[in-house]
Structure formats: structure tokens, C-alpha cells
Amino acid sequence: MITDFLHLKAPGNWINDPNGFLYFHGAYHLFYQHFPYAPRWGTMHWGHAVSHDLVHWTHLGIALFPSKAYDRNGVFSGSALELDGKLHLYYSAVRYLAEEPEDIHLARGGGLQTSQAMLVSPDGRTFDNWSKRQIIPVLEDPALGDAADTRDPKVWASDGGYYMILGSKAQGQGKVLFYRSGDGTHWNYANSYTDPSFGSMLECPDLFPLGSSYLLVGSPMGVIQDGLPYADQTMYAPADFAEDTCTLRLLAPFTYLDWGLDLYAPQSTLDDQGRRVLIGWMRMPQAVRGEADGRGPWRGMMSLPRVAEWENGRVFFRPHPQVVAQFTQPVSSPRPTMPLRILASLPEGASLDLFGYQIRRERGAVTADRSQVFDQIPGYRMTASTPPISAPCCPLEIYVEPNLVEIFVNHGQYVLSHVVYGLRGSFSGPIDDMTTVS
């Protein structure tokens, strides 16, 4: 049985979006898009991992897999809900109109249909893939949404019943659709909302109350037009939402959730203390060779769990307290064992060198450069920057693992995360504190 610490990694081969993130029966359940046969994207299954503290994760194998005519080509992203003591899993079911003859994991010409389906697990540990049911058929009205690209149901319960938000597109622009249910099984269309900031398609929408308003998190496609990979990015904005009419209104422009531009498709839940926690997929352009735990080549990992908090008129994203609590051992060696938690205060013009990963402060912004620790993979962005920060000496809270660096800037005002390959050497710069796990 494969276990992970801090960051959930692919148990071997490929993972992408987090799915079904929920605290259920005393444990955190995190499902994930999984292709179990190669470290590349393919026919999607749902892998499954559990944790009691959001830090130590145990992989439990495959939970959902294609078993119906309507999901024969993929169990795509979705969410989970506890209802009557049982775990209800909601997902997008994909059927190709035709398969590529030389690669059945791809749709020929991109032709496919997507519907929404569900599976009920009595205990969150056993999953009868032959008991699934289709709950929202393929859309037939192109003015409402796209028959191929309407997906990623995020479901939640409220006093008014059960609600679902779906990502979609129509007339070349991304949109969200809302459905309502009285029992979590039978769903009716309620409303829709579109905005130019939703790009050409809005993937993996998540809507939840935060502070005195709501927060809409989503991953609009095609929002960066520089010709490099990752034109699709995760963004967020505060919003008004009226449950009785399922009417949505953005209160501010969309902004990046993570300024490193590697994180995608996050999903949130409430932890056991009622805090809103997000975990996102960190996109990896190439696989990592197998580790000593026997997982074999793996590609894809999750971010640290981040707590979203409304403070001083804006949203802050901070590492979960359970993560911080792991780092109690002071570091004195110039070549310490990872993972590491590093605290630094970065004035204008100062820089840090963390094992080849460079961080510096320029014109108020925090800029990171991974060009020395990214194997020079062609076409990928080597640098990223936050917006300018007014603090004269900007505090940084940095978490360093062999394949991921996450920088929480100015107490979580911004986050900048980078996938890396081959951190090497030692460290230098204005470091205030460095700790590792006991």
C-alpha cells in the first residue's frame, strides 16, 4: 500500500484533477483523475486516497472506472456529498463518438458526448461500478451548453436542498450551469451565467460561501495567449449568489489563484474545524522515475492543502495548520533533507538561491526562476511573478520538496508554486528560519 506525506502524488503513472474532496466518517477522502496504465493522459478512472490529517495520505486503489455505455471512455471530474450517511459521488461520464484506431484512449476528431452520473458508496470504501446511474443526460440545446464540454459537477447541500454547478460553453464563451435537487438524485436545470473572463470554456467550477459573500473558483481555458503550454489557468473572484434563483454575479474581475501558473483544477471542502480548504493539481510536463516505495514512474501531484480566508477586503490562501505543525526540527546543515519550511524576509533587490531555484524581489514583486532546476523542457515558462507588494520587507513562507516549491507571499496575499526537477546544491540568502519534519 502506497502512502504519501504532505503532497499526494500519483501512485504510479498519471493523475490530474482532484475529485470528490470531502471529510466523511472521520477521514478526508480525495479522489483524483487517474490513468493507471502509463504516465500520460488517457481513459480516466478515479483513484482514491484517504487521510486523517490532510498530511499523511494512503492510496486505496481505483474507486471508479468505466462500466456503462455512457461512461465507457472516461469517468471525468466531479465531487462528493454525504447524504443519509452514505457517500454520493457525482462525475462527468464520457462517451466517444469514435475512437482513434491507433490509440483508443483518444476521441477521433475530438468527437464525444458528456453526461452527468452518480454512484453511491455505503461507506466510502466500497464502490459498485455497476450500480451507477445517469442523472443529467447529454445536453441537446447548444444555446444552453455544449454536448461535449459540459462537465465537472460540484455539488453541495444547503437549507434549500442540493445544488450543482457545471462548467460549460456556448457561442464560443465559457459559462456555468446550475441545477437543483430535493433528494441529491433527481436534478432540474435552474439557471446559467456567463462572463468574458470565463475564456472559451470554464472547467472545474467551485462555488462556496466565504466571509460575507461567495467565492467562485474556476479554470477558464485559453486565458493566456502567448503560445506556451498552460494557456488554461485557475482563477477566482468574489461573487453574489442567490440560492432561490441560482443567480450568480461576479463582484470583481477574475484573478490568478496561483501565480506560478502550474496549479490547475483545485477543489475545496470544509475541514473538521469548518475551515475552507483547497487542493489543486500541479501539472508536470514529464514523469519522475520510480521511487523506493515501488510506485514506478509517476506524473502529477497535488498542492499542499490551503485554507482560504477573507481578510481585510481580500482573499488569503495559507498552508493548512496541520501542514505547519509538521515542521518542528531546526535545520543547520547546508544540505538538509527535504521537505523544508523556510521563512524569509525579502527586501527590494534581495534574492534567495534555494538549491538552484531562484527567488528575488524586483519593483515590489516576488519573482521566481526555475530555469536551473527544470531540465530545460522546451516551451515552458521558466519564470513567474506576483503583482507588486507594498510591504518594504516582504515575508515569505516557502515549502520545498524535490519536485515542488510553494511560496506563500506576504502571509498568503499571493501564492506562487512551481513544479521542479532536480533541485541541487545548497541555499543562500536572507533566510530567517528553516525547519524540517521530525
Side-chain angles (χ1 to χ4, degrees):
M1 187 175 292
I2 294 175
T3 60
D4 285 322
F5 177 64
L6 292 179
H7 297 98
L8 185 75
K9 301 175 184 176
N13 296 311
W14 171 274
I15 68 169
N16 54 294
D17 305 359
N19 298 154
F21 188 23
L22 192 72
Y23 187 71
F24 175 76
H25 288 187
Y28 296 97
H29 292 252
L30 185 63
F31 301 83
Y32 49 84
Q33 294 282 274
H34 183 37
F35 185 56
Y37 308 118
R40 48 152 281 191
W41 190 95
T43 301
M44 285 295 112
H45 300 51
W46 275 27
H48 184 201
V50 295
S51 173
H52 292 284
D53 59 5
L54 293 169
V55 171
H56 300 85
W57 294 94
T58 300
H59 290 269
L60 298 183
I62 293 171
L64 273 60
F65 56 82
S67 62
K68 301 288 187 177
Y70 53 78
D71 74 1
R72 63 176 292 122
N73 298 110
V75 179
F76 275 38
S77 290
S79 56
L81 179 71
E82 181 176 358
L83 180 57
D84 297 329
K86 298 178 181 179
L87 187 63
H88 287 54
L89 303 179
Y90 301 87
Y91 69 94
S92 290
V94 172
R95 181 180 70 84
Y96 293 166
L97 302 181
E99 298 168 344
E100 284 287 354
E102 297 302 317
D103 189 342
I104 64 170
H105 300 291
L106 302 177
R108 189 169 67 191
L112 56 88
Q113 291 182 330
T114 304
S115 60
Q116 315 309 316
M118 65 178 288
L119 179 150
V120 179
S121 168
D123 55 7
R125 305 283 176 147
T126 55
F127 307 92
D128 180 0
N129 278 266
W130 285 267
S131 69
K132 299 168 183 166
R133 61 185 298 171
Q134 192 180 49
I135 54 174
I136 300 177
V138 177
L139 297 185
E140 297 181 352
D141 181 1
L144 175 62
D146 192 80
D149 291 326
T150 297
R151 57 180 179 268
D152 311 331
K154 178 64 188 292
V155 176
W156 70 96
S158 187
D159 292 340
Y162 303 96
Y163 296 83
M164 176 190 295
I165 185 172
L166 285 165
S168 189
K169 65 182 182 182
Q171 288 83 48
Q173 184 169 292
K175 67 185 301 186
V176 293
L177 309 180
F178 291 100
Y179 286 76
R180 257 196 310 242
S181 173
D183 59 6
T185 299
H186 301 89
W187 295 86
N188 295 300
Y189 171 75
N191 211 338
S192 67
Y193 178 78
T194 186
D195 187 273
S197 63
F198 288 177
S200 60
M201 160 75 190
L202 189 72
E203 295 195 292
C204 302
D206 194 351
L207 180 67
F208 50 85
L210 192 71
S212 60
S213 62
Y214 282 75
L215 200 70
L216 177 67
V217 178
S219 298
M221 302 181 73
V223 295
I224 298 181
Q225 303 295 329
D226 61 4
L228 295 178
Y230 305 162
D232 312 334
Q233 289 295 329
T234 293
M235 309 185 84
Y236 74 94
D240 275 338
F241 180 68
E243 285 189 346
D244 56 342
T245 59
C246 287
T247 301
L248 180 71
R249 180 173 66 93
L250 296 188
L251 300 177
F254 254 6
T255 188
Y256 294 131
L257 190 143
D258 190 299
W259 292 83
L261 307 183
D262 283 352
L263 182 142
Y264 199 68
Q267 191 168 105
S268 77
T269 192
L270 294 175
D271 72 3
D272 60 354
Q273 301 298 312
R275 292 171 290 219
R276 180 61 59 171
V277 183
L278 296 92
I279 288 181
W281 165 45
M282 302 305 304
R283 297 178 283 194
M284 302 180 72
Q286 65 184 19
V288 177
R289 290 179 296 179
E291 298 189 352
D293 59 11
R295 76 181 66 211
W298 62 274
R299 184 176 172 189
M301 62 192 302
M302 301 299 172
S303 71
L304 289 174
R306 304 173 180 185
V307 177
E309 298 174 295
W310 189 261
E311 187 176 299
N312 298 325
R314 62 168 299 125
V315 181
F316 286 72
F317 297 98
R318 299 183 173 105
H320 193 276
Q322 290 277 22
V323 171
V324 178
Q326 304 300 312
F327 292 85
T328 59
Q329 185 66 34
V331 170
S332 57
S333 168
R335 297 180 185 273
T337 301
M338 298 177 193
L340 296 170
R341 177 176 182 257
I342 298 170
L343 302 180
S345 300
L346 208 61
E348 181 68 24
S351 63
L352 292 166
D353 182 343
L354 303 180
F355 316 100
Y357 184 81
Q358 309 287 325
I359 306 170
R360 56 184 178 274
R361 182 92 183 273
E362 297 177 335
R363 295 183 292 278
V366 173
T367 298
D369 183 341
R370 61 178 170 186
S371 58
Q372 297 183 44
V373 291
F374 201 67
D375 293 350
Q376 298 300 312
I377 302 168
Y380 284 82
R381 300 178 184 90
M382 294 295 105
T383 63
S385 297
T386 69
I389 295 137
S390 58
C393 197
C394 180
L396 305 180
E397 183 177 357
I398 309 166
Y399 292 84
V400 182
E401 282 248 52
N403 290 103
L404 184 59
V405 179
E406 294 173 89
I407 309 168
F408 295 83
V409 178
N410 199 28
H411 308 293
Q413 180 179 352
Y414 302 110
V415 188
L416 192 162
S417 303
H418 266 155
V419 166
V420 295
Y421 296 91
L423 291 173
R424 58 186 68 88
S426 58
F427 57 88
S428 62
I431 292 174
D432 300 326
D433 188 41
M434 181 180 292
T435 51
T436 187
V437 298
S438 300

